[in-house]
Amino acid sequence: MIRSNLRQRSSLAALLALAAAGFVLGGARSSVGVAELSTRAEPLKPFVYRASHCAACHNQDRAATYYPDERASMICRMNEWATFDASDRHALAHAALTSERGRVIGERLGLDAATAPACLSCHAAPSTSLPGVRWSEGITCVGCHGAYANWVEAHARVDDPAWRGLDRAAKERDFGMADLWSVGRRAALCVSCHVGDPSQGRVLTHAMYAAGHPPLPAFDLSRYAQDEPRHWERLSEKSAQRRERLGLPADPFESTRESLVGSLAALKAMAELAAAQASGTLATAGQETWPDFARFDCTACHHGLRGSSTWRQERGYRHAAGRPPLPEWPGVAAMLSPGGEALGEPLDAWHAAATVRPFGDPQAIATTARQVAAACDRLIERLEAEPIDRSAARALLTRIAQAAHQRIPDYDSARTLAQMVHTVIVELGQDAPPTALSARAELDRILGLSLRSEPTQKTLIGPDYAPRLERAAEYDPSRILQLFSQLAPAP
Ligand code: HEC
Ligand code: HEC
Ligand code: HEC
Ligand code: HEC
Ligand code: HEC
């Protein structure tokens, strides 16, 4: 302990230099005894540490301050900063608002994008005026991990048995460290910005899109985690000792689980957005209520017209012909979860309420959307507890093929299904059916599943949008359907 304290002194000096004055750092708190930590239930103190604060210790591959045996005893690799610093676009989230595109969007909406809560809600985290916050940092480490001084100060001491004895629930409840190891919690965090969350004022309206906001891609948690890119180890990559400290077993189908839970979370988020806007109870004043075109399927209105019969006409209309329907992709993917059939009825009622007349019946939309959200919650809870094994994963491929044959998938649904195919096949490894392997490679190619054209570069997405939108506009499901049928024999 003495040795490591000495060893840490230099990093603490660096920290003091980096951090703004007034921070209470690990060294200053080392007088807090072990017993005191374990019994302490102090009120949570909101505080936004800057990312550079974390960099001082979580950058061991570049700047070692721990002995190898100390590092091996830790719950994580301690090199997370390098990944974030090199490639993570979240650090640029506020720079997007001050970029030319961001400025123009603001101008068209009559607001200052760099300071408007309607934009900060997703482009800075935390986005409220907490002590220490600097929005220019975009989405910071504690924006996801919990903006409280309690855990940041308590967690960083080397080999502290009191902290190390805490389980995930206690770290969250008593110290404010978000338990992102719960796949449900992680999915809810990511979709709160990548789909929306009315309770936190995270709402993209059609006015924002029309002013120039890029359309959000269909969300898949496993893809988004990979492309962030992931700065954490998967459970299967962790040592047995680290897994034991987390209280979690190795999960050979961790990404498949992420995909399924993420789809349910995305569907829930869409339902909550619709419910809040249709019932006029949106937290942020001045945002559109109903109808907000952004809650409907964008491509229902935004597509070119052709003389001959199109795949949309061939597919037929789910409810009334010619009225804007809700987006289909989140439901298509969410229905694939174990027990997903339970979603059929509420989902159908919601879609019907949205098309009973043009732009639907707001009251019925709100009621049915809340039922969809509640059904998603039940399925997420079930899925978090349920083991996924090889036969379940193979069965999932068959269900994906069936879903594609039951109803011609639109572009976003095809991408979501193809992403799930990708994830399941990677995790099945040698157990994947050979025909599915070649289908997967071509689906990846045609649909361009990766969000990053240059995986390691940390630049604004800007130039990637045009090719993405062209791909969507040129979508033709016929080849895609053939590929899905190679996953499993058609029913
Ligand atoms: C003074 C060094 C130091 C600083 C500064 C520091 N950490 Fe850590 N961090 C550690 C150590 C040591 C561990 C391993 C703790 C363990 O094994 O229980 C750790 C572990 C973690 C974990 C995993 C914890 C768990 O229980 O699952 C997260 C997440 C984390 N740090 C985030 C951050 C963030 C975000 C910041 C900046 C706000 C930060 N850390 C600042 C030393 C530090
Ligand atoms: C519901 C959350 C949300 C809200 C609200 C929101 N955005 Fe975004 N914004 C995003 C996400 C997520 C992306 C990344 C989309 C992607 O992956 O393609 C993004 C992307 C952008 C980009 C492109 C970034 C780049 O790297 O090129 C700009 C510019 C932008 N937003 C500006 C704004 C402005 C201005 C506002 C307010 C009027 C706003 N956003 C409100 C979530 C949001
Ligand atoms: C967009 C949200 C997000 C941001 C921003 C973010 N993290 Fe994480 N981080 C996660 C998720 C999700 C996990 C995986 C679950 C967990 O460990 O809690 C994770 C895991 C970690 C871990 C544990 C790694 C492991 O292998 O167990 C550390 C340490 C960590 N992050 C540090 C940081 C630091 C330091 C920053 C800023 C430089 C940062 N994170 C920014 C979401 C985020
Ligand atoms: C507070 C809002 C917020 C949260 C929470 C959040 N993101 Fe993001 N994310 C954004 C914004 C905004 C951008 C666009 C940043 C830019 O380019 O300016 C983004 C960009 C991304 C990108 C790059 C997207 C692209 O089109 O290239 C990925 C991947 C991503 N986030 C994954 C995640 C994952 C995984 C999580 C959960 C662990 C998460 N995000 C949580 C707001 C958020
Ligand atoms: C109910 C039909 C409808 C739906 C659904 C819809 N829009 Fe629109 N959109 C319109 C109309 C009408 C305009 C105004 C057209 C004009 O003035 O040229 C428009 C304008 C736009 C514009 C600016 C005009 C342009 O040519 O670029 C963008 C961008 C846009 N919408 C994006 C979206 C996105 C993204 C979605 C889904 C999240 C969506 N829209 C859903 C009808 C719709």
Side-chain angles (χ1 to χ4, degrees):
M1 277 299 277
I2 289 172
R3 188 190 59 170
S4 45
N5 282 343
L6 283 174
R7 178 77 170 201
Q8 276 217 300
R9 198 146 290 159
S10 58
S11 72
L12 285 170
L15 276 180
L16 283 162
L18 281 168
F23 280 24
V24 184
L25 293 173
R29 294 197 61 100
S30 57
S31 60
V32 176
V34 162
E36 197 182 337
L37 175 63
S38 56
T39 54
R40 192 174 51 153
E42 284 179 10
L44 292 180
K45 288 173 288 184
F47 190 83
V48 184
Y49 281 96
R50 304 182 69 169
S52 53
H53 176 83
C54 322
C57 300
H58 286 275
N59 194 22
Q60 294 296 312
D61 289 351
R62 291 184 189 159
T65 55
Y66 298 117
Y67 288 112
D69 59 319
E70 289 174 332
R71 216 181 138 184
S73 79
M74 290 169 185
I75 205 163
C76 51
R77 290 169 299 181
M78 301 301 295
N79 60 0
E80 296 79 9
W81 167 257
T83 305
F84 187 87
D85 183 41
S87 320
D88 201 310
R89 283 180 157 151
H90 291 113
L92 301 178
H94 192 267
L97 300 181
T98 54
S99 72
E100 180 59 14
R101 185 176 195 139
R103 199 188 53 73
V104 168
I105 298 171
E107 210 171 82
R108 291 184 184 137
L109 293 169
L111 46 81
D112 174 14
T115 56
C119 308
L120 287 174
S121 58
C122 294
H123 283 267
S127 64
T128 38
S129 304
L130 296 176
V133 78
R134 283 171 189 76
W135 290 325
S136 59
E137 290 221 342
I139 296 155
T140 60
C141 315
V142 298
C144 288
H145 285 285
Y148 296 100
N150 307 55
W151 75 264
V152 177
E153 291 169 15
H155 90 289
R157 276 161 298 165
V158 173
D159 198 18
D160 175 348
W163 173 261
R164 292 192 174 194
L166 299 174
D167 62 15
R168 295 182 289 134
K171 289 176 188 176
E172 178 163 86
R173 186 189 58 237
D174 299 335
F175 294 87
M177 176 188 262
D179 176 17
L180 301 179
W181 282 109
S182 147
V183 185
R185 291 285 314 279
R186 186 186 305 171
L189 170 73
C190 310
V191 301
S192 71
C193 293
H194 287 280
V195 178
D197 178 0
S199 75
Q200 300 186 65
R202 293 176 173 168
V203 182
L204 274 167
T205 62
H206 190 257
M208 292 177 184
Y209 287 123
H213 197 285
L216 299 186
F219 178 83
D220 179 284
L221 178 54
S222 137
R223 165 60 59 188
Y224 270 71
Q226 182 184 319
D227 285 355
E228 188 183 341
R230 179 163 61 82
H231 54 264
W232 59 94
E233 290 177 294
R234 290 229 172 280
L235 289 168
S236 49
E237 294 163 347
K238 283 200 175 287
S239 65
Q241 189 194 350
R242 284 179 178 162
R243 281 199 298 267
E244 197 182 318
R245 289 198 47 212
L246 283 169
L248 290 165
D251 181 357
F253 289 95
E254 187 174 356
S255 301
T256 301
R257 188 186 306 280
E258 273 189 330
S259 254
L260 291 169
V261 172
S263 301
L264 287 162
L267 176 61
K268 181 185 170 198
M270 283 216 172
E272 285 180 337
L273 283 165
Q277 285 182 287
S279 62
T281 55
L282 200 59
T284 320
Q287 273 174 338
E288 274 169 67
T289 52
W290 205 259
D292 182 347
F293 293 179
R295 303 288 78 84
F296 293 87
D297 174 5
C298 316
T299 62
C301 298
H302 293 285
H303 67 78
L305 299 179
R306 297 217 170 79
S308 54
S309 178
T310 64
W311 66 264
R312 287 190 180 81
Q313 289 168 324
E314 207 179 295
R315 174 174 72 164
Y317 300 97
R318 194 167 161 155
H319 291 285
R323 291 176 192 163
L326 296 171
E328 288 197 7
W329 66 267
V332 169
M335 293 274 294
L336 297 168
S337 321
E341 312 78 55
L343 273 172
E345 226 174 276
L347 203 51
D348 202 49
W350 181 34
H351 280 267
T355 45
V356 60
R357 57 178 189 246
F359 308 112
D361 168 353
Q363 222 172 355
I365 289 172
T367 315
T368 51
R370 289 198 185 101
Q371 281 157 1
V372 169
C376 290
D377 268 339
R378 287 191 290 273
L379 289 171
I380 291 172
E381 202 176 312
R382 168 171 170 184
L383 197 49
E384 281 219 80
E386 190 158 303
I388 300 178
D389 60 16
R390 291 185 175 270
S391 70
R394 273 193 299 264
L396 185 54
L397 287 180
T398 308
R399 296 179 71 183
I400 292 171
Q402 284 166 352
H405 277 274
Q406 266 157 22
R407 185 163 166 78
I408 299 174
D410 61 21
Y411 177 72
D412 277 342
S413 304
R415 279 182 69 92
T416 314
L417 292 176
Q419 179 56 49
M420 218 174 262
V421 169
H422 177 107
T423 305
V424 174
I425 286 179
V426 168
E427 291 194 324
L428 272 173
Q430 295 189 328
D431 284 348
T435 52
L437 277 177
S438 57
R440 177 211 125 181
E442 206 176 336
L443 283 169
D444 278 23
R445 193 182 56 74
I446 299 177
L447 294 167
L449 296 181
S450 174
L451 292 163
R452 314 277 311 241
S453 54
E454 173 43 77
T456 54
Q457 220 172 49
K458 190 166 78 183
T459 51
L460 287 177
I461 306 165
D464 287 354
Y465 282 117
R468 282 189 197 176
L469 295 175
E470 273 157 33
R471 203 191 289 273
E474 284 160 11
Y475 175 66
D476 169 8
S478 55
R479 175 73 187 130
I480 303 285
L481 283 174
Q482 284 171 359
L483 292 168
F484 278 124
S485 66
Q486 287 174 26
L487 301 174

